[in-house]
Amino acid sequence: MSVDALPLGSEQSQRILRLYNLYRLIIGLALVLLISSELDDQLLEIANTQLFRYGSWLYLIVNLLVITLMQRPRRLAPVFSLALFDVLLLAGLFYAAGGTPSGLGNLLIVAVAIANILLRGRIGLLIAAVAAISLIYLTFYLSLSRPAAAAQYVQAGALGALCFAAAIFVQGLSRRLQLSETLAEQRAADVANLEALNAQILQRMRTGILVLNTQRRVLLANQGAQTLIGADALAGQVIDPIAPPLVERLAQWRDNPALRPSSVQLQEGGPAVQPSFVPLQRGEQQHTLVFLDDISQIAQQAQQLKLAALGRLTAGIAHEIRNPLGAISHAAQLLQESEDLQGPDQRLLQIIQDHSRRMNLVIENVLQLSRRRQAEPQLLDLKYWLHRFAGEFRNTLPNTQQVHVETGGGLQTRMDPNQLTQVLTNLVQNGLRYSAQRNPYGQVWLRLYRDASSDLPVLEVLDDGPGVPAEQVQHIFEPFYTTENKGTGLGLYISRELCESNQARLDYQPREGGGSCFRIIFAHPRKLS
């Protein structure tokens, strides 16, 4: 049997102890008021007036001291001493007041019951035994001086039995209450853990989730929604000025819930988002649950499937195209060597050769997409590798083009060196070409450094060309998107795909004062592809 089943440090036990102290204080005040008004001799058959009055004052003073000094006991001994003192002092007052006719024996039952709430098990029954023995012994002792008290044995025994009954009943009831409280606390902890888990899952979901009230004020927003909308701390704000296109789709849905809302772009340069709405009834209030799905990845996957199908188709007809294409190009070269051709005819032949080369380049790029090999990452010292790449690349440049290198030491990553060469060659050639459009010399700067926030290696390819117009930035990595007559629109798309296959990221950033900056953020060298 447990000795101290109710932890004394718990808030419930401290609350019961405070009520116990208040109860004893009220009893002490009532006894002192009784003897101060000299009504004790009239209402009670006092056996020892002096002892009763001194005992009443002692009971009040001790209880005042206990309330003042023993604020939050956390050990068993002080509470046991308090309960034992209370029972013994009440037993003494019971004797002085004349025994069972005084009614003070009932106070012992209350004291035993409260003590057994705080001190359960054998030690609680010990308090009940002390109270029962005191009642019977003091009744016997009282009968020696007052023979009429001999008739009180049955009442004293009944009071002692009630003390034991109260102790056993209170212990059983307290045990049940504690089990219920423990179960409730466990269920509350489980609910809290489940709520925390749901909140964590909700925050880590890629799908954006919003809960709007009737005034379109945000009641709940996860991290995915904040990222897609491009705003922080959405909770508590009205969504109208933050995402007007979303409010427009919400109004359309309310007019016709069966109509699927069209996709929207919630921030400049952000991804396309597909909203969906679900009514949410919370009590008497009608809220709206909003799901925001980033469909750019779906579009990218569809684009990849389209390119894969196009690659397979191109691979099937490449032989049929290349044979006549090679014959046309060869015939044009032979015809160009003829001395009988005039200037306009020479220009027509040059057009044939240029477009033949362009068709062959398109076929090569599409074939490369369909049969691109798996990346084979290697641990690269980026400073050494970049200087070697720049040295080899400079040997192929004319005098009107230059490549500058700025590097920091101790930068490593894991990447396929052949694929990195292909990516960087494409970016440098683009930069030189656009730089030459605005300057007498085409220049490109390769800047290698460590990002302070992410601690990852970063390589920037910068040029001083015209830059990319703001309305075209979101399209430059799309396949077959080009602003040049002779371009295929696959170079930047392939470069980004190669970076992603090596767990790197290729982004575009405009330069202050003009020009372009293509930034490659490499993976950590200890991160395996």
Side-chain angles (χ1 to χ4, degrees):
M1 185 179 292
S2 176
V3 174
D4 186 16
L6 184 66
L8 294 177
S10 66
E11 186 61 33
Q12 181 182 4
S13 63
Q14 294 298 326
R15 185 166 56 251
I16 294 173
L17 186 59
R18 287 195 296 270
L19 293 175
Y20 186 28
N21 290 335
L22 180 62
Y23 164 76
R24 295 197 323 276
L25 180 63
I26 293 174
I27 296 299
L29 289 173
L31 292 174
V32 169
L33 289 176
L34 183 65
I35 63 176
S36 298
S37 60
E38 297 183 355
L39 294 176
D40 50 343
D41 289 330
Q42 301 178 17
L43 299 178
L44 302 174
E45 297 178 4
I46 302 295
N48 191 328
T49 303
Q50 189 175 9
L51 178 61
F52 182 78
R53 292 185 176 182
Y54 286 156
S56 298
W57 277 107
L58 178 63
Y59 191 78
L60 176 62
I61 293 173
V62 170
N63 285 323
L64 286 173
L65 292 176
V66 168
I67 293 175
T68 304
L69 301 178
M70 194 170 65
Q71 296 291 332
R72 295 179 65 90
R74 296 181 180 272
R75 302 186 64 182
L76 179 64
V79 179
F80 173 73
S81 302
L82 176 63
L84 185 62
F85 168 80
D86 191 32
V87 168
L88 292 177
L89 193 53
L90 286 175
L93 292 174
F94 167 82
Y95 166 76
T100 54
S102 67
L104 294 182
N106 298 324
L107 298 180
L108 279 170
I109 299 175
V110 176
V112 168
I114 297 178
N116 274 267
I117 297 177
L118 298 172
L119 304 169
R120 294 202 290 273
R122 289 188 292 268
I123 197 168
L125 294 177
L126 175 62
I127 298 296
V130 171
I133 292 173
S134 299
L135 287 170
I136 296 174
Y137 176 76
L138 291 175
T139 300
F140 168 74
Y141 189 73
L142 187 63
S143 66
L144 296 178
S145 58
R146 303 178 65 178
Q152 301 177 12
Y153 283 118
V154 176
Q155 297 177 356
L159 289 175
L162 287 175
C163 287
F164 275 101
I168 295 173
F169 174 76
V170 168
Q171 287 194 23
L173 181 61
S174 298
R175 189 175 296 109
R176 282 181 170 238
L177 292 176
Q178 185 187 0
L179 289 176
S180 300
E181 182 182 4
T182 303
L183 182 60
E185 291 178 353
Q186 183 179 356
R187 296 287 175 81
D190 293 340
V191 171
N193 293 334
L194 185 60
E195 183 179 358
L197 178 61
N198 291 336
Q200 186 175 5
I201 294 174
L202 186 67
Q203 289 298 326
R204 296 181 70 88
M205 287 179 61
R206 293 182 179 272
T207 300
I209 297 178
L210 295 173
V211 177
L212 306 178
N213 62 8
T214 53
Q215 289 78 33
R216 294 186 294 278
R217 187 177 299 275
V218 180
L219 303 179
L220 173 68
N222 68 343
Q223 185 61 42
Q226 295 180 168
T227 302
L228 292 174
I229 295 177
D232 295 331
L234 286 174
Q237 301 187 41
V238 179
I239 199 66
D240 295 37
I242 301 175
L246 183 61
V247 177
E248 181 182 350
R249 300 301 188 276
L250 177 59
Q252 295 174 359
W253 171 77
R254 285 177 174 169
D255 293 338
N256 187 3
L259 181 64
R260 178 181 174 84
S262 58
S263 60
V264 295
Q265 189 174 11
L266 299 178
Q267 57 175 317
E268 184 178 355
V273 176
Q274 176 63 54
S276 57
F277 307 95
V278 177
L280 185 63
Q281 188 73 30
R282 300 185 66 179
E284 298 180 354
Q285 298 180 350
Q286 181 72 31
H287 296 163
T288 304
L289 181 61
V290 184
F291 295 96
L292 303 175
D293 293 307
D294 183 359
I295 61 175
S296 60
Q297 294 182 352
I298 300 176
Q300 184 179 6
Q301 292 175 359
Q303 188 67 43
Q304 290 175 349
L305 292 175
K306 185 191 300 183
L307 289 175
L310 180 60
R312 288 191 295 269
L313 175 63
T314 307
I317 64 175
H319 180 71
E320 299 298 329
I321 294 178
R322 279 183 169 178
N323 283 343
L325 186 63
I328 293 172
S329 179
H330 184 64
Q333 291 178 1
L334 294 177
L335 188 58
Q336 194 173 23
E337 296 176 0
S338 175
E339 298 178 356
D340 298 332
L341 292 179
Q342 303 299 321
D345 296 332
Q346 291 284 348
R347 175 58 183 161
L348 292 176
L349 287 175
Q350 186 63 41
I351 292 175
I352 293 174
Q353 290 185 344
D354 289 344
H355 284 277
S356 296
R357 284 192 294 268
R358 183 182 178 188
M359 283 187 64
N360 187 64
L361 180 61
V362 171
I363 294 173
E364 287 290 341
N365 286 334
V366 175
L367 284 175
Q368 183 181 8
L369 287 175
S370 63
R371 63 191 182 200
R372 190 177 67 206
R373 65 179 179 85
Q374 190 73 19
E376 298 178 358
Q378 300 178 14
L379 185 61
L380 299 180
D381 185 331
L382 288 174
K383 179 179 180 180
Y384 170 77
W385 185 92
L386 188 60
H387 279 286
R388 189 179 66 177
F389 167 82
E392 295 176 355
F393 195 85
R394 289 190 187 105
N395 294 332
T396 64
L397 296 179
N399 296 331
T400 57
Q401 294 181 345
Q402 295 180 355
V403 175
H404 309 280
V405 179
E406 302 175 12
T407 60
L411 297 175
Q412 294 182 331
T413 190
R414 287 188 179 274
M415 191 165 186
D416 190 318
N418 295 324
Q419 293 184 352
L420 180 57
T421 299
Q422 183 178 350
V423 171
L424 209 55
T425 299
N426 181 54
L427 296 178
V428 172
Q429 287 177 347
N430 287 347
L432 291 172
R433 183 169 65 254
Y434 284 105
S435 176
Q437 293 179 3
R438 292 185 58 185
N439 305 282
Y441 294 90
Q443 298 186 88
V444 167
W445 289 264
L446 303 178
R447 182 180 301 163
L448 178 66
Y449 62 93
R450 186 186 303 277
D451 183 68
S453 59
S454 63
D455 198 36
L456 296 176
V458 178
L459 175 59
E460 293 181 342
V461 181
L462 306 103
D463 65 65
D464 54 357
V468 180
E471 64 274 8
Q472 297 179 5
V473 170
Q474 59 180 337
H475 302 294
I476 59 175
F477 291 104
E478 295 178 1
F480 300 108
Y481 181 83
T482 180
T483 57
E484 296 185 354
N485 295 330
K486 297 183 179 181
T488 64
L490 290 173
L492 289 178
Y493 174 78
I494 294 175
S495 297
R496 172 173 274 190
E497 289 291 308
L498 292 176
C499 287
E500 290 181 353
S501 66
N502 288 270
Q503 298 189 355
R505 189 170 74 247
L506 174 61
D507 295 316
Y508 171 81
Q509 296 289 334
R511 293 186 64 189
E512 296 182 2
S516 300
C517 170
F518 286 90
R519 179 178 297 154
I520 303 175
I521 302 177
F522 295 98
H524 195 277
R526 290 193 296 271
K527 186 175 183 180
L528 298 179
S529 298

